[in-house]
Amino acid sequence: SSGINAEWPLRPGNPNKMNVGVGAYRDDNGKPFVLPSVRAAEERLVAAHLNHEYLPTHGCPVFREAAKKLAFGAGSPVVEENRIASAQSISGTGGLRIRG
C-alpha cells in the first residue's frame, strides 16, 4: 500500500479524513486510532462470551461460502456446481503466503 499512499496522499484541510490505506490507522500524532465501528464490534464480541475456539484450518465455512457467492455471484455455475476451492486467511500480507 505504500505506493498507493505515495501516489494519493491526503490533502490537508479536512479534519474528518484519515488515511485508511494501511492496516494500522494512526492519528496526526502517530498514535493508533481504532475506528468506532471496530470498537463497537469488539464490544459485541466481548458481550457474546465466546469460548475462543479455533476455526478449522481452512477458515469459517459460513464465511467462505458467503465470500464465494460475493466474488462469483450466487447463481454462478462455478458456485452452484461447487467447483471453487476456498480458504480464509489472516488479513494484510498474510494472505499472500497461501499457495497451492
Side-chain angles (χ1 to χ4, degrees):
S1 69
S2 61
I4 293 172
N5 290 329
E7 187 74 24
W8 292 286
L10 288 178
R11 293 186 174 82
N14 186 337
N16 296 317
K17 286 190 176 182
M18 175 176 286
N19 182 352
V20 294
V22 294
Y25 308 137
R26 302 204 176 268
D27 64 17
D28 291 337
N29 299 314
K31 301 286 185 197
F33 177 80
V34 180
L35 297 170
S37 57
V38 172
R39 284 277 187 237
E42 288 174 336
E43 290 171 8
R44 289 175 63 184
L45 288 170
V46 169
H49 300 288
L50 300 175
N51 62 12
H52 296 272
E53 184 64 62
Y54 285 105
L55 288 173
T57 304
H58 289 94
C60 174
V62 173
F63 174 83
R64 290 177 22 236
E65 288 302 314
K68 286 191 273 189
K69 290 176 183 174
L70 177 65
F72 294 95
S76 169
V78 294
V79 171
E80 291 191 356
E81 296 167 13
N82 200 27
R83 293 189 281 140
I84 302 170
S86 65
Q88 182 180 355
S89 74
I90 61 173
S91 64
T93 56
L96 299 175
R97 312 246 323 128
I98 296 177
R99 63 178 181 241

XYZ file of all heavy atoms in Angstrom:
747
model
N 0.814 -1.200 0.000
C 0.000 0.000 0.000
C 0.855 1.260 0.000
O 0.330 2.332 -0.177
C -0.950 -0.016 1.186
O -0.230 0.127 2.390
N 2.159 1.154 0.225
C 2.981 2.355 0.292
C 2.993 3.082 -1.044
O 3.059 4.306 -1.084
C 4.395 2.022 0.739
O 4.998 1.134 -0.194
N 2.934 2.361 -2.163
C 2.868 3.009 -3.462
C 1.591 3.808 -3.626
O 1.604 4.915 -4.159
N 0.488 3.254 -3.180
C -0.794 3.954 -3.250
C -0.752 5.187 -2.355
O -1.194 6.258 -2.739
C -1.954 3.023 -2.845
C -2.116 1.916 -3.890
C -3.244 3.810 -2.666
C -3.088 0.843 -3.505
N -0.204 5.027 -1.151
C -0.127 6.165 -0.239
C 0.746 7.270 -0.813
O 0.459 8.453 -0.622
C 0.407 5.724 1.122
C -0.599 4.880 1.867
O -1.803 5.052 1.714
N -0.113 3.944 2.658
N 1.811 6.918 -1.493
C 2.684 7.927 -2.091
C 1.994 8.596 -3.275
O 2.161 9.788 -3.507
C 3.997 7.288 -2.536
N 1.213 7.819 -4.009
C 0.550 8.340 -5.203
C -0.607 9.280 -4.867
O -0.833 10.274 -5.529
C 0.031 7.166 -6.041
C -0.533 7.543 -7.386
C 0.538 7.924 -8.400
O 1.693 7.477 -8.245
O 0.212 8.665 -9.326
N -1.365 8.925 -3.826
C -2.530 9.720 -3.446
C -2.470 10.108 -1.976
O -3.253 9.621 -1.162
C -3.820 8.943 -3.706
C -4.090 8.730 -5.150
C -4.512 9.651 -6.049
C -3.932 7.501 -5.879
N -4.639 9.084 -7.286
C -4.287 7.763 -7.218
C -3.522 6.223 -5.532
C -4.249 6.792 -8.197
C -3.479 5.256 -6.507
C -3.845 5.548 -7.824
N -1.562 11.009 -1.611
C -1.502 11.414 -0.200
C -2.736 12.213 0.188
O -3.374 12.838 -0.669
C -0.248 12.278 -0.135
C -0.091 12.806 -1.526
C -0.609 11.726 -2.441
N -3.076 12.205 1.475
C -4.200 13.012 1.944
C -3.834 14.480 1.836
O -2.721 14.876 2.158
C -4.525 12.678 3.403
C -5.183 11.340 3.645
C -5.402 11.148 5.138
C -6.514 11.251 2.926
N -4.771 15.234 1.398
C -4.540 16.670 1.334
C -5.027 17.286 2.646
O -6.107 16.950 3.121
C -5.273 17.258 0.147
C -4.666 16.760 -1.157
C -5.299 17.441 -2.361
N -4.602 17.051 -3.559
C -4.825 15.926 -4.226
N -5.734 15.074 -3.797
N -4.153 15.636 -5.316
N -4.251 18.200 3.216
C -4.682 18.817 4.478
C -5.929 19.668 4.278
O -6.244 20.074 3.164
C -3.484 19.681 4.870
C -2.742 19.920 3.605
C -2.994 18.714 2.726
N -6.628 19.907 5.361
C -7.778 20.795 5.291
C -9.070 20.183 5.769
O -9.974 20.875 6.181
N -9.209 18.869 5.715
C -10.438 18.239 6.179
C -10.112 17.384 7.393
O -9.505 16.318 7.267
C -11.073 17.390 5.088
C -12.429 16.848 5.498
O -12.745 16.715 6.677
N -13.250 16.527 4.520
N -10.519 17.809 8.592
C -10.187 17.051 9.806
C -10.908 15.706 9.896
O -10.567 14.881 10.738
C -10.630 17.988 10.932
C -11.703 18.830 10.326
C -11.313 18.994 8.869
N -11.884 15.456 9.018
C -12.617 14.198 9.056
C -12.008 13.124 8.170
O -12.513 12.014 8.113
C -14.074 14.428 8.650
C -14.781 15.327 9.626
O -14.623 15.186 10.830
N -15.543 16.272 9.114
N -10.939 13.455 7.443
C -10.303 12.475 6.566
C -9.155 11.800 7.289
O -8.434 12.405 8.066
C -9.800 13.136 5.293
C -10.916 13.501 4.347
C -10.372 13.928 3.015
C -11.511 14.192 2.050
N -10.989 14.559 0.741
N -8.984 10.501 6.998
C -7.923 9.720 7.600
C -7.392 8.744 6.558
O -8.162 8.237 5.748
C -8.462 8.953 8.808
C -7.463 8.021 9.428
S -8.107 7.243 10.894
C -8.035 8.606 12.013
N -6.122 8.491 6.573
C -5.520 7.533 5.657
C -5.900 6.125 6.104
O -5.476 5.662 7.159
C -3.999 7.697 5.655
C -3.332 6.757 4.683
O -3.957 5.879 4.105
N -2.050 6.946 4.501
N -6.704 5.451 5.289
C -7.094 4.086 5.613
C -6.457 3.101 4.633
O -6.917 1.984 4.466
C -8.634 3.918 5.651
C -9.233 4.715 6.781
C -9.266 4.309 4.325
N -5.367 3.505 3.997
C -4.670 2.653 3.038
C -3.737 1.658 3.693
O -3.158 0.822 3.032
N -3.580 1.735 4.986
C -2.716 0.804 5.708
C -3.544 0.119 6.781
O -4.586 0.603 7.186
C -1.511 1.539 6.342
C -0.599 2.096 5.269
C -1.964 2.636 7.274
N -3.075 -1.005 7.273
C -3.842 -1.784 8.241
C -3.911 -1.195 9.633
O -4.838 -1.460 10.371
N -2.940 -0.400 10.031
C -2.937 0.217 11.353
C -3.141 1.706 11.174
O -2.254 2.406 10.705
C -1.620 -0.061 12.065
N -4.322 2.182 11.514
C -4.630 3.586 11.326
C -4.003 4.399 12.449
O -3.962 3.989 13.585
C -6.143 3.803 11.286
C -6.834 2.906 10.293
C -8.017 2.275 10.598
C -6.276 2.673 9.041
C -8.647 1.444 9.685
C -6.894 1.844 8.127
C -8.082 1.245 8.455
O -8.694 0.425 7.555
N -3.518 5.584 12.109
C -2.865 6.453 13.087
C -3.419 7.859 12.954
O -3.763 8.306 11.873
C -1.364 6.445 12.876
C -0.796 5.036 12.981
C 0.653 5.040 13.359
N 1.116 3.672 13.534
C 1.114 3.023 14.687
N 0.697 3.604 15.776
N 1.551 1.779 14.769
N -3.456 8.559 14.082
C -3.906 9.953 14.057
C -2.747 10.861 13.663
O -1.649 10.397 13.349
C -4.531 10.353 15.397
C -3.549 10.328 16.558
O -2.314 10.314 16.333
O -4.023 10.356 17.709
N -2.982 12.155 13.679
C -1.957 13.110 13.270
C -0.730 13.098 14.165
O 0.327 13.585 13.792
C -2.541 14.522 13.219
C -3.544 14.682 12.091
O -3.474 13.903 11.109
O -4.401 15.576 12.184
N -0.865 12.538 15.358
C 0.263 12.445 16.287
C 0.964 11.097 16.216
O 1.825 10.799 17.039
C -0.212 12.713 17.715
C -0.797 14.101 17.863
O -0.213 15.070 17.393
N -1.965 14.191 18.477
N 0.566 10.256 15.268
C 1.190 8.950 15.117
C 0.681 7.893 16.081
O 1.216 6.794 16.148
N -0.366 8.213 16.822
C -0.930 7.263 17.789
C -1.944 6.360 17.089
O -2.678 6.815 16.206
C -1.629 8.011 18.929
C -0.736 8.961 19.690
C 0.198 8.213 20.580
C 0.987 9.206 21.424
N 2.143 8.616 22.001
N -2.010 5.095 17.482
C -3.010 4.202 16.870
C -4.419 4.740 17.074
O -4.749 5.271 18.130
C -2.820 2.893 17.631
C -1.439 2.973 18.182
C -1.179 4.421 18.462
N -5.230 4.635 16.031
C -6.623 5.065 16.078
C -7.494 3.870 15.741
O -7.329 3.254 14.692
C -6.870 6.189 15.070
C -8.303 6.620 15.014
C -8.820 7.485 15.963
C -9.149 6.148 14.027
C -10.140 7.876 15.924
C -10.476 6.535 13.973
C -10.974 7.400 14.924
N -8.403 3.527 16.633
C -9.329 2.427 16.401
C -10.650 3.020 15.929
O -11.235 3.875 16.609
C -9.531 1.590 17.679
C -10.505 0.453 17.426
C -8.191 1.044 18.164
N -11.099 2.582 14.758
C -12.354 3.078 14.206
C -13.513 2.781 15.161
O -13.548 1.717 15.795
C -12.629 2.426 12.853
C -11.617 2.728 11.746
C -11.869 1.828 10.543
C -11.687 4.188 11.349
N -14.476 3.695 15.282
C -15.631 3.457 16.151
C -16.367 2.156 15.813
O -16.849 1.467 16.709
C -16.526 4.684 15.918
C -15.578 5.752 15.495
C -14.506 5.038 14.700
N -16.445 1.804 14.538
C -17.118 0.562 14.155
C -16.368 -0.659 14.687
O -16.978 -1.663 15.065
C -17.242 0.473 12.631
O -15.960 0.562 12.023
N -15.038 -0.572 14.746
C -14.231 -1.670 15.289
C -14.460 -1.779 16.794
O -14.606 -2.874 17.330
C -12.738 -1.480 14.953
C -11.877 -2.507 15.668
C -12.529 -1.542 13.450
N -14.500 -0.642 17.489
C -14.783 -0.649 18.932
C -16.143 -1.296 19.207
O -16.278 -2.106 20.111
C -14.775 0.772 19.493
C -13.428 1.352 19.672
C -12.817 0.888 20.999
N -11.575 1.612 21.194
C -10.414 1.031 21.369
N -10.318 -0.281 21.401
N -9.337 1.741 21.533
N -17.148 -0.935 18.409
C -18.487 -1.498 18.594
C -18.474 -3.004 18.364
O -19.099 -3.764 19.113
C -19.484 -0.817 17.657
N -17.740 -3.462 17.343
C -17.643 -4.900 17.073
C -16.947 -5.618 18.219
O -17.365 -6.711 18.619
C -16.900 -5.138 15.761
N -15.889 -5.009 18.762
C -15.192 -5.613 19.910
C -16.135 -5.764 21.098
O -16.141 -6.805 21.762
C -13.993 -4.744 20.315
C -12.840 -4.789 19.355
C -11.738 -3.809 19.709
O -12.008 -2.786 20.390
O -10.599 -4.061 19.310
N -16.923 -4.729 21.351
C -17.874 -4.783 22.471
C -18.901 -5.894 22.274
O -19.254 -6.599 23.224
C -18.556 -3.431 22.643
C -17.610 -2.364 23.163
C -18.210 -0.963 23.130
O -19.428 -0.822 22.835
O -17.458 -0.007 23.397
N -19.363 -6.075 21.044
C -20.321 -7.149 20.761
C -19.688 -8.519 20.981
O -20.326 -9.440 21.502
C -20.852 -7.031 19.338
C -21.793 -5.837 19.171
C -22.234 -5.631 17.752
N -23.018 -6.765 17.259
C -23.456 -6.872 16.024
N -23.196 -5.915 15.146
N -24.141 -7.913 15.646
N -18.426 -8.666 20.585
C -17.737 -9.939 20.786
C -17.551 -10.247 22.263
O -17.764 -11.379 22.705
C -16.385 -9.939 20.073
C -16.436 -10.024 18.557
C -15.054 -9.779 17.961
C -16.983 -11.375 18.115
N -17.165 -9.247 23.036
C -16.985 -9.452 24.482
C -18.321 -9.824 25.123
O -18.389 -10.740 25.942
C -16.373 -8.195 25.140
C -16.434 -8.290 26.656
C -14.936 -8.004 24.685
N -19.388 -9.138 24.727
C -20.706 -9.396 25.289
C -21.222 -10.793 24.936
O -22.041 -11.359 25.656
C -21.699 -8.339 24.819
N -20.728 -11.375 23.848
C -21.185 -12.699 23.413
C -20.584 -13.823 24.248
O -21.033 -14.971 24.150
C -20.856 -12.913 21.941
N -19.567 -13.538 25.053
C -18.916 -14.542 25.904
C -18.506 -15.775 25.102
O -18.842 -16.909 25.442
C -19.828 -14.956 27.065
C -20.206 -13.814 27.945
N -19.318 -13.209 28.798
C -21.374 -13.130 28.075
C -19.914 -12.223 29.443
N -21.160 -12.144 29.003
N -17.771 -15.546 24.025
C -17.323 -16.640 23.173
C -16.291 -17.496 23.893
O -15.649 -17.058 24.846
C -16.735 -16.081 21.867
C -17.709 -15.245 21.035
C -16.994 -14.640 19.843
C -18.886 -16.081 20.584
N -16.095 -18.714 23.393
C -15.209 -19.658 24.073
C -13.784 -19.669 23.515
O -12.976 -20.488 23.909
C -15.796 -21.066 24.011
C -15.938 -21.573 22.596
O -15.419 -20.986 21.651
N -16.659 -22.671 22.432
N -13.457 -18.812 22.580
C -12.113 -18.712 21.989
C -11.677 -19.979 21.273
O -10.490 -20.274 21.170
C -11.069 -18.321 23.048
C -11.315 -16.965 23.612
N -10.813 -15.829 23.044
C -12.034 -16.567 24.684
C -11.193 -14.780 23.752
N -11.944 -15.198 24.749
N -12.624 -20.727 20.758
C -12.308 -21.917 19.982
C -11.663 -21.513 18.664
O -12.037 -20.514 18.065
C -13.587 -22.715 19.704
C -13.377 -24.016 18.987
C -12.562 -25.009 19.779
O -13.015 -25.400 20.866
O -11.475 -25.378 19.315
N -10.689 -22.285 18.222
C -10.043 -22.012 16.939
C -10.960 -22.397 15.792
O -11.765 -23.323 15.890
C -8.744 -22.815 16.801
C -7.615 -22.277 17.627
C -7.216 -22.919 18.779
C -6.944 -21.122 17.245
C -6.172 -22.424 19.551
C -5.898 -20.621 17.997
C -5.521 -21.282 19.149
O -4.490 -20.785 19.898
N -10.793 -21.696 14.666
C -11.508 -22.053 13.447
C -10.848 -23.274 12.820
O -9.678 -23.564 13.090
C -11.452 -20.899 12.440
C -12.297 -19.677 12.758
C -11.991 -18.559 11.760
C -13.767 -20.018 12.724
N -11.554 -23.974 11.933
C -10.910 -25.046 11.177
C -9.742 -24.484 10.364
O -9.673 -23.275 10.103
C -12.013 -25.549 10.252
C -13.295 -25.068 10.851
C -12.966 -23.825 11.601
N -8.842 -25.332 9.926
C -7.634 -24.911 9.212
C -7.932 -24.007 8.029
O -7.218 -23.037 7.789
C -6.856 -26.156 8.721
O -6.584 -26.974 9.846
C -5.565 -25.762 8.050
N -8.975 -24.308 7.269
C -9.285 -23.514 6.078
C -10.172 -22.315 6.373
O -10.557 -21.593 5.472
C -9.940 -24.394 5.013
C -8.983 -25.356 4.413
N -8.844 -26.641 4.884
C -8.091 -25.217 3.422
C -7.914 -27.256 4.187
N -7.432 -26.413 3.286
N -10.537 -22.094 7.635
C -11.348 -20.940 7.998
C -12.797 -21.292 8.279
O -13.191 -22.453 8.275
N -13.584 -20.275 8.500
C -15.003 -20.420 8.832
C -15.792 -20.820 7.584
O -15.842 -20.056 6.605
C -15.532 -19.100 9.390
S -17.302 -19.084 9.687
N -16.417 -21.995 7.598
C -17.149 -22.452 6.408
C -18.254 -21.487 5.955
O -18.436 -21.268 4.761
C -17.732 -23.793 6.839
C -16.855 -24.253 7.956
C -16.408 -23.004 8.660
N -18.974 -20.895 6.890
C -20.054 -19.963 6.534
C -19.465 -18.736 5.839
O -19.994 -18.272 4.820
C -20.853 -19.556 7.789
C -21.870 -18.472 7.472
C -21.539 -20.774 8.395
N -18.349 -18.214 6.358
C -17.695 -17.061 5.736
C -17.198 -17.421 4.339
O -17.377 -16.656 3.394
C -16.526 -16.586 6.603
C -15.719 -15.497 5.951
C -16.135 -14.174 6.025
C -14.565 -15.797 5.259
C -15.403 -13.170 5.413
C -13.825 -14.799 4.643
C -14.243 -13.484 4.722
N -16.578 -18.590 4.200
C -16.027 -18.989 2.902
C -17.121 -19.122 1.856
O -16.962 -18.706 0.702
C -15.227 -20.280 3.052
C -13.938 -20.046 3.826
C -13.092 -21.294 4.082
N -13.318 -22.382 3.186
C -13.659 -23.621 3.575
N -13.804 -23.912 4.841
N -13.844 -24.572 2.684
N -18.254 -19.703 2.224
C -19.372 -19.843 1.282
C -19.909 -18.481 0.872
O -20.178 -18.235 -0.304
C -20.485 -20.706 1.879
C -20.138 -22.185 1.967
C -19.784 -22.787 0.613
O -20.514 -22.531 -0.380
O -18.773 -23.498 0.530
N -20.051 -17.578 1.841
C -20.547 -16.236 1.530
C -19.555 -15.488 0.635
O -19.958 -14.774 -0.287
C -20.798 -15.464 2.822
N -18.262 -15.664 0.879
C -17.241 -14.995 0.062
C -17.267 -15.498 -1.376
O -17.107 -14.713 -2.317
C -15.863 -15.205 0.681
N -17.465 -16.804 -1.552
C -17.546 -17.354 -2.909
C -18.729 -16.752 -3.665
O -18.612 -16.364 -4.825
C -17.673 -18.879 -2.866
C -16.397 -19.596 -2.505
C -16.496 -21.087 -2.744
C -17.063 -21.812 -1.575
N -16.978 -23.283 -1.707
N -19.881 -16.648 -2.994
C -21.070 -16.080 -3.629
C -20.873 -14.606 -3.936
O -21.319 -14.115 -4.978
C -22.290 -16.294 -2.737
C -22.711 -17.747 -2.663
C -23.850 -17.956 -1.699
C -24.182 -19.445 -1.608
N -25.195 -19.704 -0.580
N -20.194 -13.898 -3.058
C -19.929 -12.484 -3.295
C -18.988 -12.297 -4.484
O -19.214 -11.453 -5.349
C -19.320 -11.852 -2.042
C -18.927 -10.383 -2.166
C -20.157 -9.512 -2.378
C -18.164 -9.939 -0.928
N -17.942 -13.104 -4.547
C -16.931 -12.955 -5.594
C -17.411 -13.419 -6.966
O -17.109 -12.792 -7.981
C -15.662 -13.716 -5.206
N -18.156 -14.517 -7.008
C -18.521 -15.115 -8.291
C -19.997 -14.964 -8.647
O -20.377 -15.246 -9.771
C -18.150 -16.604 -8.298
C -16.676 -16.846 -8.230
C -16.058 -17.084 -7.019
C -15.903 -16.821 -9.382
C -14.691 -17.300 -6.948
C -14.535 -17.035 -9.325
C -13.923 -17.270 -8.100
N -20.818 -14.552 -7.690
C -22.262 -14.440 -7.915
C -22.965 -15.677 -7.401
O -22.555 -16.808 -7.695
N -24.034 -15.474 -6.642
C -24.737 -16.596 -6.014
C -25.262 -17.603 -7.034
O -25.293 -18.796 -6.779
C -25.883 -16.078 -5.152
N -25.661 -17.136 -8.209
C -26.189 -18.039 -9.225
C -25.154 -18.534 -10.220
O -25.499 -19.199 -11.190
N -23.901 -18.224 -9.977
C -22.837 -18.614 -10.903
C -22.712 -20.138 -10.982
O -22.794 -20.826 -9.967
C -21.510 -18.023 -10.427
O -20.435 -18.566 -11.147
N -22.506 -20.678 -12.172
C -22.344 -22.131 -12.301
C -21.201 -22.686 -11.449
O -21.332 -23.763 -10.882
C -22.062 -22.332 -13.791
C -22.655 -21.145 -14.464
C -22.508 -20.015 -13.485
N -20.104 -21.956 -11.345
C -18.986 -22.482 -10.557
C -19.338 -22.570 -9.078
O -18.837 -23.440 -8.365
C -17.679 -21.660 -10.753
C -17.167 -21.798 -12.170
C -17.854 -20.213 -10.372
N -20.221 -21.677 -8.607
C -20.680 -21.743 -7.214
C -21.690 -22.874 -7.062
O -21.568 -23.717 -6.168
C -21.294 -20.395 -6.760
C -21.958 -20.535 -5.398
C -20.232 -19.305 -6.726
N -22.683 -22.907 -7.945
C -23.745 -23.911 -7.830
C -23.240 -25.330 -8.043
O -23.776 -26.272 -7.472
C -24.877 -23.580 -8.803
C -25.617 -22.322 -8.380
C -26.901 -22.105 -9.151
O -27.204 -22.878 -10.081
O -27.607 -21.143 -8.804
N -22.185 -25.486 -8.857
C -21.619 -26.817 -9.103
C -20.462 -27.135 -8.176
O -19.784 -28.147 -8.347
C -21.176 -26.903 -10.573
C -22.339 -26.773 -11.536
C -21.880 -26.541 -12.965
O -20.676 -26.712 -13.273
O -22.737 -26.168 -13.791
N -20.243 -26.272 -7.184
C -19.212 -26.483 -6.162
C -17.830 -26.731 -6.775
O -17.115 -27.644 -6.396
C -19.608 -27.625 -5.221
C -18.849 -27.548 -3.922
O -18.427 -26.479 -3.492
N -18.668 -28.688 -3.290
N -17.465 -25.875 -7.739
C -16.176 -26.027 -8.423
C -15.122 -25.041 -7.925
O -14.106 -24.842 -8.567
C -16.365 -25.860 -9.933
C -17.187 -26.983 -10.547
C -17.164 -26.916 -12.065
N -18.086 -25.894 -12.546
C -17.822 -25.076 -13.563
N -16.675 -25.127 -14.197
N -18.705 -24.179 -13.946
N -15.360 -24.420 -6.768
C -14.425 -23.442 -6.227
C -13.863 -23.957 -4.912
O -14.608 -24.327 -4.006
C -15.116 -22.094 -5.963
C -15.745 -21.550 -7.233
C -14.115 -21.082 -5.389
C -16.630 -20.358 -6.998
N -12.537 -23.974 -4.826
C -11.892 -24.270 -3.539
C -11.639 -22.936 -2.856
O -11.347 -21.929 -3.504
C -10.576 -25.000 -3.761
N -11.770 -22.904 -1.544
C -11.546 -21.642 -0.839
C -10.848 -21.886 0.481
O -10.910 -22.977 1.052
C -12.874 -20.915 -0.596
O -13.692 -21.667 0.279
N -10.168 -20.852 0.936
C -9.522 -20.858 2.244
C -9.563 -19.440 2.771
O -9.453 -18.483 2.015
C -8.085 -21.345 2.154
N -9.743 -19.307 4.053
C -9.746 -18.000 4.692
C -8.348 -17.749 5.249
O -7.720 -18.653 5.793
C -10.777 -17.996 5.821
C -10.922 -16.679 6.539
C -11.979 -16.775 7.636
O -12.653 -17.793 7.798
N -12.117 -15.712 8.386
N -7.870 -16.525 5.094
C -6.534 -16.210 5.599
C -6.600 -15.055 6.579
O -7.626 -14.403 6.725
C -5.606 -15.837 4.436
O -5.923 -14.544 3.967
N -5.476 -14.796 7.212
C -5.378 -13.601 8.026
C -5.347 -12.403 7.085
O -5.160 -12.547 5.887
C -4.125 -13.633 8.923
C -2.846 -13.710 8.077
C -4.197 -14.788 9.884
C -1.567 -13.577 8.885
N -5.540 -11.233 7.632
C -5.605 -10.038 6.772
C -4.208 -9.566 6.370
O -3.200 -10.101 6.813
C -6.330 -8.924 7.530
O -5.578 -8.555 8.665
N -4.207 -8.546 5.558
C -2.933 -7.947 5.137
C -2.112 -8.872 4.277
O -2.631 -9.652 3.481
N -0.813 -8.800 4.436
C 0.078 -9.576 3.584
C 0.085 -11.055 3.934
O 0.627 -11.860 3.173
C 1.518 -9.034 3.660
O 1.935 -9.045 5.027
C 1.593 -7.624 3.110
N -0.512 -11.447 5.056
C -0.565 -12.862 5.415
C -1.270 -13.692 4.370
O -0.905 -14.848 4.126
N -2.271 -13.116 3.703
C -2.988 -13.828 2.659
C -2.119 -14.123 1.444
O -2.416 -15.023 0.672
N -1.064 -13.378 1.269
C -0.178 -13.593 0.119
C 0.652 -14.861 0.258
O 1.243 -15.337 -0.701
C 0.755 -12.385 -0.068
C 0.056 -11.062 -0.342
C 1.073 -9.931 -0.380
C -0.748 -11.111 -1.628
N 0.715 -15.417 1.453
C 1.548 -16.597 1.695
C 0.800 -17.897 1.411
O 1.382 -18.966 1.470
C 2.044 -16.608 3.133
C 2.606 -15.271 3.524
C 3.993 -15.020 3.848
N 4.871 -15.845 4.527
C 6.075 -16.152 4.017
N 6.392 -15.761 2.822
N 6.919 -16.838 4.713
N -0.486 -17.813 1.100
C -1.254 -19.003 0.769
C -0.989 -19.367 -0.685
O -1.108 -18.531 -1.564
C -2.763 -18.788 0.984
C -3.042 -18.538 2.459
C -3.559 -19.980 0.465
C -4.488 -18.240 2.732
N -0.647 -20.609 -0.919
C -0.426 -21.055 -2.301
C -0.713 -22.542 -2.394
O -0.666 -23.273 -1.423
C 0.969 -20.729 -2.762
C 2.035 -21.431 -1.963
C 3.403 -21.097 -2.514
N 4.395 -21.803 -1.742
C 5.350 -21.220 -1.055
N 5.434 -19.916 -1.030
N 6.223 -21.911 -0.398
N -0.988 -22.973 -3.593
C -1.324 -24.368 -3.809
C -0.139 -25.204 -4.103
O 0.975 -24.828 -4.178
